[in-house]
Amino acid sequence: MKRAYYSKSIQDYLLDTESSILGELTANHSNRSLEELQINAWRKQINILKNQLRGFEGQIYFEFAIPRMGKRVDNILIINDIIFVIEFKVGDGGYEKYAIEQAIDYTIDLKNFHEGSHHLKLIPVLVATNAENYKEPILNVINHNSVAKSNQYNIADTLKTFINYNSKPVNIEYWGNSIYKPTPTIVEAAKALYKGHNVKEITRSDSGTINLSKTTDCINKVIETSKSENLKSICFVTGVPGAGKTLAGLNIAVERMKADENEHAVFLSGNGPLVDVLREALTRDEVLTAKDKNEKVTKKQAAIKANAFIQNIHHFRDEYLKDEINAPIEKVVVFDEAQRAWTKHQVSSFMKRKKGVEDFDMSEPEFLIDVMNRHSDWCTVVCLIGGGQEINTGEAGLEEWISSLKNHFPNWNIHYSNSILNSDNYLKSENSKNWLVKNGISEFELHLSISIRSFRSEKLSSFIHELLNIKTENAKNIYSEIREHYPIIVTRNLDKAKDWLRNKAKGSERIGLISSSGARRLRPLGIDVKNEISAPNWFLNNSQDIRSSYFLEEVATEFDIQGLEIDWACVAWGGNFYMNNTDWKYQNFKGTKWQNINKDIDKEYLKNTYRVLLTRARQGMVIFIPESSTQDHTRPSEFYDRTFEYLKKIGIKEIG
């Protein structure tokens, strides 16, 4: 992929004509119906930079791609030891907050994901052409808390402020050829894929990792074979938390839509907040994209299209409860978080209470396979399975999918990874494992083993696994490896936790407060887990919106945030799960007091809740463990102090 629309040495750029530069920019622009506004902005930009860059040596780039964000930065200048990331606002008379965030976002993206930029000095610069002179404190800019602010007349002076000619200059050739290894959020990825970007453009492709494109290729092969040989197939895609299972599923759905629209590929999820957030993100993005192209697309039109692509699994289920005969229109169905599909008991109870159906006797996995089995020729089901991710009563896990296939659909082709057999997070029954080995087809590429959510540390999920299993020495060793790259801190003071988040986040990096839905006695501290949030507002709205995660007022629970992520999180630890000497204590709050949880399955759900919460942050987290209260009998010291000491024993530092 060509990184920039135009790239030359500064000396050659100064000798190049305006028409030649404009011609190259226009030729490389993907949208042939370029707006006059864009051409005029380029023209102004070219002339300003020609005037301001006299006497400088280095390299200039126009419209440099930032793939993870699906955008391009106006200019990059490499001068001696500095990479200047320049955002132009032609005609602006002030330094707007959104523009400052945009320049910082581009800079941080390069710093984090562009290999050649990891250890270099990157300086964000905002050029508001008609603004007043303003000198931003240098340290603010270097630390990416703000940007260097310039108008059209003092760009040269702004650049000189940061250049150190005694330092070793950037190797421009190495920098330009360095690989870009982005790890997009699921929202960013969904928008990019929906727009037609290839998964290889927006995700990392490190050698040694099973990347998403290999998983996609494997599933595409299964689909094509099923189609040509009239087979019914099911693929189980497993992976560690944050490994990109949802991204892999979205990619398959998008690719099959492009390959053959008659397959009516659909992405289904029982995760209501995820569905709401992705639909709203795709809808908003399509409206904005159309506006940029000077086209008219209403929000309602965009929503209809997005809602057809991403559907709630329960609506799909209910549709085929009403129609008990016909096969669905969809030939390829991707079930996200398939481990959360309900057991027979849970579905039966729900059908009786909510639908008035008295004698429903199938689990959700059995029913969903049964619906697809109505096809007379072929179909393919893709199940995305998170190990140790079941967090609610009645969630069946992979065990029920295997049981349904074994007992009711013996003719289906089953594709899985051996990782299912090697971990108790997926199948606990030896009978199920043995049956799968005899009747399934092992595919190496169907397991995603490396977390791409926490790009700062691929070992985060392993650390959390050891921490929750009280493997203290293992946890301590892994933490010592990750703490430089993935900061984790602990505190007993909520205000300190919030300040830590605000100080860590740069640009539009998202911060948020998250907690277990069972942490009911955090309410005296202003954390009310019973208060429902609007997931699209919390995850998508900007830092000026009091409903957004940025305000650290509304708390998201495991049900709101599973399958999604934020950059920096405060995990508020509740009294429902605490260290009691050498083991965890599991509790529910009912009425006015705590009650012990005794069932092993319910204990597993609660532990998985904290697994989900502790793996949601991409860049780092603060764990808030409250102080006890002598006035409140529901908040004794034993609920908090030993947990706090356990985390410190592992090596997690307390905020000073």
Side-chain angles (χ1 to χ4, degrees):
M1 187 175 90
K2 191 171 182 180
R3 288 273 168 76
Y5 288 171
Y6 176 96
S7 170
K8 284 193 178 174
S9 70
I10 290 174
Q11 296 92 321
D12 287 345
Y13 165 73
L14 293 173
L15 294 171
D16 221 345
T17 63
E18 179 194 282
S19 58
S20 173
I21 298 167
L22 267 178
E24 201 165 331
L25 288 170
T26 306
N28 285 311
H29 194 275
S30 56
N31 182 7
R32 296 295 178 223
S33 57
L34 262 171
E35 291 298 311
E36 194 66 28
L37 190 68
Q38 176 63 76
I39 293 171
N40 286 337
W42 277 339
R43 186 174 280 122
K44 182 84 172 170
Q45 206 174 315
I46 291 164
N47 290 322
I48 290 170
L49 288 172
K50 274 180 173 286
N51 180 49
Q52 290 291 309
L53 293 181
R54 290 187 193 125
F56 288 100
E57 292 185 5
Q59 191 81 1
I60 184 169
Y61 302 84
F62 275 76
E63 300 292 333
F64 190 92
I66 308 289
R68 183 180 73 97
M69 301 169 71
K71 295 183 179 178
R72 288 179 177 271
V73 61
D74 289 333
N75 294 100
I76 285 180
L77 292 173
I78 302 180
I79 302 173
N80 204 62
D81 63 327
I82 302 287
I83 313 285
F84 292 100
V85 182
I86 301 177
E87 183 62 22
F88 263 87
K89 297 300 174 189
V90 174
D92 279 15
Y95 305 103
E96 301 294 337
K97 188 175 189 298
Y98 84 94
I100 291 170
E101 283 189 353
Q102 191 176 8
I104 293 172
D105 286 347
Y106 290 153
T107 305
I108 290 171
D109 198 276
L110 282 169
K111 187 80 174 170
N112 288 336
F113 304 119
H114 182 247
E115 198 164 67
S117 299
H118 289 338
H119 306 294
L120 298 179
K121 275 192 269 184
L122 281 82
I123 299 297
V125 181
L126 174 59
V127 180
T129 55
N130 297 336
E132 298 288 324
N133 287 359
Y134 184 89
K135 278 207 177 291
E136 183 70 37
I138 289 177
L139 209 56
N140 281 356
V141 181
I142 290 172
N143 292 333
H144 303 154
N145 291 318
S146 190
V147 297
K149 299 180 174 82
S150 177
N151 56 40
Q152 62 184 306
Y153 303 110
N154 65 354
I155 295 172
D157 291 337
T158 302
L159 302 181
K160 286 173 186 173
T161 306
F162 297 95
I163 299 166
N164 180 359
Y165 286 104
N166 294 319
S167 293
K168 184 181 176 183
V170 172
N171 182 329
I172 292 171
E173 186 178 358
Y174 169 76
W175 188 88
N177 292 324
S178 289
I179 58 173
Y180 184 86
K181 302 188 292 187
T183 57
T185 68
I186 194 59
V187 172
E188 290 166 341
K191 290 193 290 190
L193 292 172
Y194 198 61
K195 274 180 176 172
H197 287 275
N198 188 292
V199 75
K200 291 174 185 172
E201 294 172 6
I202 62 167
T203 57
R204 57 195 291 173
S205 55
D206 318 35
S207 59
T209 66
I210 302 173
N211 61 59
L212 293 160
S213 57
K214 286 185 179 177
T215 302
T216 301
D217 292 344
C218 178
I219 296 171
N220 274 329
K221 197 162 62 177
V222 171
I223 292 171
E224 292 298 339
T225 302
S226 302
K227 199 173 181 178
S228 62
E229 298 180 15
N230 276 350
L231 302 173
K232 289 170 184 169
S233 305
I234 188 165
C235 297
F236 293 110
V237 179
T238 52
V240 299
K245 296 180 293 294
T246 300
L247 176 53
L250 284 168
N251 190 45
I252 281 293
V254 168
E255 286 213 358
R256 298 319 300 181
M257 280 169 61
K258 289 190 285 187
D260 184 352
E261 60 183 27
N262 291 323
E263 290 177 7
H264 297 283
V266 66
F267 181 89
L268 298 176
S269 177
N271 183 338
L274 177 72
V275 170
D276 292 345
V277 168
L278 292 183
R279 281 176 163 181
E280 180 67 15
L282 297 183
T283 299
R284 291 184 190 184
D285 196 55
E286 180 145 356
V287 171
L288 283 174
T289 302
K291 189 178 177 184
D292 289 344
K293 294 177 181 175
N294 215 20
E295 297 170 359
K296 177 72 174 169
V297 173
T298 67
K299 190 169 183 184
K300 187 174 182 181
Q301 289 170 326
I304 289 169
K305 184 179 165 190
N307 292 357
F309 174 54
I310 295 176
Q311 295 182 32
N312 191 303
I313 198 169
H314 301 307
H315 298 164
F316 179 87
R317 176 198 66 199
D318 293 349
E319 179 66 28
Y320 292 101
L321 271 172
K322 288 181 270 182
D323 180 351
E324 297 181 5
I325 299 169
N326 292 311
I329 192 171
E330 296 87 359
K331 290 283 197 176
V332 176
V333 172
V334 179
F335 291 138
D336 189 35
E337 293 185 16
Q339 78 279 357
R340 297 182 68 182
W342 288 348
T343 61
K344 186 197 292 190
H345 176 76
Q346 185 73 7
V347 183
S348 177
S349 171
F350 174 82
M351 291 297 178
K352 191 172 183 178
R353 286 181 292 109
K354 301 289 187 180
K355 304 290 181 184
V357 178
E358 292 287 337
D359 54 353
F360 195 87
D361 66 347
M362 283 192 267
S363 67
E364 204 164 33
E366 183 185 341
F367 178 71
L368 293 170
I369 300 171
D370 187 63
V371 168
M372 294 302 289
N373 198 50
R374 296 176 192 175
H375 284 290
S376 58
D377 47 5
W378 75 278
C379 66
T380 299
V381 171
V382 180
C383 290
L384 311 176
I385 304 276
Q389 297 279 293
E390 302 85 4
I391 58 174
N392 204 6
T393 303
E395 291 181 357
L398 178 58
E399 201 85 50
E400 183 57 38
W401 287 92
I402 299 301
S403 176
S404 298
L405 289 160
K406 176 182 175 182
N407 296 322
H408 304 286
F409 308 100
N411 296 325
W412 276 57
N413 284 351
I414 305 163
H415 300 261
Y416 69 97
S417 156
N418 274 341
S419 295
I420 284 174
L421 309 174
N422 300 331
S423 169
D424 287 342
N425 277 338
Y426 298 109
L427 291 174
K428 291 185 169 58
S429 160
E430 286 302 318
N431 286 339
S432 296
K433 290 180 181 179
N434 292 336
W435 185 87
L436 186 57
V437 170
K438 287 177 186 173
N439 296 276
I441 302 159
S442 176
E443 308 273 10
F444 181 72
E445 289 82 5
L446 292 183
H447 181 74
L448 298 161
S449 59
I450 302 293
S451 174
I452 60 169
R453 174 185 297 125
S454 50
F455 63 88
R456 289 188 179 277
S457 174
E458 295 168 341
K459 295 184 177 179
L460 176 67
S461 59
S462 298
F463 168 63
I464 298 305
H465 180 77
E466 299 299 323
L467 182 152
L468 291 175
N469 286 340
I470 320 179
K471 304 288 186 185
T472 309
E473 287 306 311
N474 290 354
K476 197 183 289 187
N477 291 336
I478 298 173
Y479 182 65
S480 69
E481 294 177 41
I482 71 173
R483 63 185 174 196
E484 293 302 315
H485 307 289
Y486 187 94
I488 304 174
I489 205 96
V490 66
T491 183
R492 310 297 296 268
N493 184 302
L494 185 57
D495 288 333
K496 283 186 178 180
K498 290 180 177 181
D499 287 343
W500 187 85
L501 288 183
R502 293 183 182 114
N503 289 331
K504 282 290 181 184
K506 314 287 186 191
S508 63
E509 288 178 344
R510 187 165 291 276
I511 61 176
L513 182 61
I514 62 179
S515 187
S516 160
S517 59
R520 298 288 177 84
R521 296 309 296 149
L522 290 172
R523 190 166 65 172
L525 306 171
I527 300 173
D528 188 359
V529 295
K530 286 189 75 177
N531 186 44
E532 290 187 13
I533 67 168
S534 160
N537 289 337
W538 198 88
F539 282 101
L540 300 176
N541 292 9
N542 65 32
S543 59
Q544 304 307 299
D545 192 318
I546 60 168
R547 300 165 299 175
S548 75
S549 67
Y550 290 107
F551 263 72
L552 303 176
E553 288 184 4
E554 294 192 335
V555 58
T557 70
E558 69 274 19
F559 300 115
D560 300 311
I561 204 166
Q562 188 178 40
L564 291 157
E565 65 257 300
I566 55 179
D567 290 294
W568 302 90
C570 171
V571 179
W573 205 289
N576 59 331
F577 183 70
Y578 68 90
M579 181 59 68
N580 181 25
N581 295 323
T582 58
D583 208 349
W584 295 111
K585 184 81 171 174
Y586 303 80
Q587 300 190 124
N588 270 332
F589 193 78
K590 295 280 180 71
T592 61
K593 60 185 180 181
W594 291 100
Q595 296 179 354
N596 290 335
I597 294 173
N598 296 315
K599 285 186 182 176
D600 287 342
I601 186 67
D602 293 333
K603 288 181 178 180
E604 198 66 25
Y605 289 146
L606 183 50
K607 185 189 280 189
N608 286 344
T609 289
Y610 278 82
R611 190 191 314 278
V612 166
L613 295 171
L614 292 165
T615 53
R616 293 306 98 185
R618 287 162 56 81
Q619 302 203 50
M621 64 180 148
V622 54
I623 300 171
F624 164 59
I625 298 180
E627 296 282 3
S628 57
S629 169
T630 53
Q631 283 81 40
D632 183 350
H633 67 280
T634 68
R635 294 186 288 140
S637 61
E638 66 191 83
F639 288 4
Y640 309 107
D641 293 354
R642 288 194 186 104
T643 306
F644 178 69
E645 292 305 323
Y646 172 56
L647 296 180
K648 288 187 71 176
K649 185 179 178 183
I650 286 169
I652 299 174
K653 302 293 184 192
E654 185 179 3
I655 295 178

